[in-house]
Amino acid sequence: MAMHFIFSDEAVLLFDFWRVHSPTGMALSVLVVLLLAVLYEGIKVGKVKLLHKTLENLPNTTSQQLILESDQDSTGSGSTPANGTHLRWFLFYFGQALVHVTQVVTGYFVMLAVMSYNTWIFLGVVLGSAVGYYLAYPLLNMT
């Protein structure tokens, strides 16, 4: 394996079954990696929007007040607004964790594709990141 960037239409990307042996296969692989980079940029924006929405929906009380309320409510029965707030916070937090894991996995796939040291794949990642940022960044201003 070459440890420098090369222009070639042959490469092994991410998995052993993803072997490229032709210019058409390389063009399709560049397109897939480009879309993966666009997806990565979209996930980054989605993560920021989800965090913003989470912070927007949390009540203005402090966490200590929520703990005191939940201790007082534990003696009573039935569903209380504090329990609903905790459930909503948990669901937002769980969603953030899933989006974060998806972002990390996608980022590692993109990194490993670049580590094939194929110049065409590298250019696909760079172009995909630029296009993804160009498309996703304006979504941050829409609230």
Side-chain angles (χ1 to χ4, degrees), residues 39-86:
L39 176 67
Y40 179 77
E41 293 296 327
I43 291 171
K44 283 187 349 184
V45 168
K47 186 176 173 184
V48 169
K49 287 189 74 80
L50 183 62
L51 177 62
H52 178 66
K53 187 172 185 127
T54 301
L55 293 175
E56 196 175 72
N57 287 330
L58 282 177
N60 293 332
T61 60
T62 64
S63 60
Q64 289 181 346
Q65 289 173 334
L66 286 175
I67 291 170
L68 289 175
E69 287 175 6
S70 64
D71 287 343
Q72 292 170 356
D73 292 335
S74 65
T75 58
S77 62
S79 178
T80 62
N83 289 339
T85 302
H86 289 299

Side-chain angles (χ1 to χ4, degrees), residues 64-123:
Q64 289 181 346
Q65 289 173 334
L66 286 175
I67 291 170
L68 289 175
E69 287 175 6
S70 64
D71 287 343
Q72 292 170 356
D73 292 335
S74 65
T75 58
S77 62
S79 178
T80 62
N83 289 339
T85 302
H86 289 299
L87 178 64
R88 189 171 12 150
W89 180 84
F90 173 76
L91 290 175
F92 276 125
Y93 187 69
F94 186 73
Q96 286 175 345
L98 287 177
V99 170
H100 176 73
V101 168
T102 306
Q103 179 188 3
V104 168
V105 169
T106 306
Y108 277 123
F109 280 168
V110 170
M111 178 198 65
L112 288 173
V114 169
M115 288 180 63
S116 69
Y117 292 106
N118 188 298
T119 306
W120 299 119
I121 298 296
F122 175 72
L123 293 174

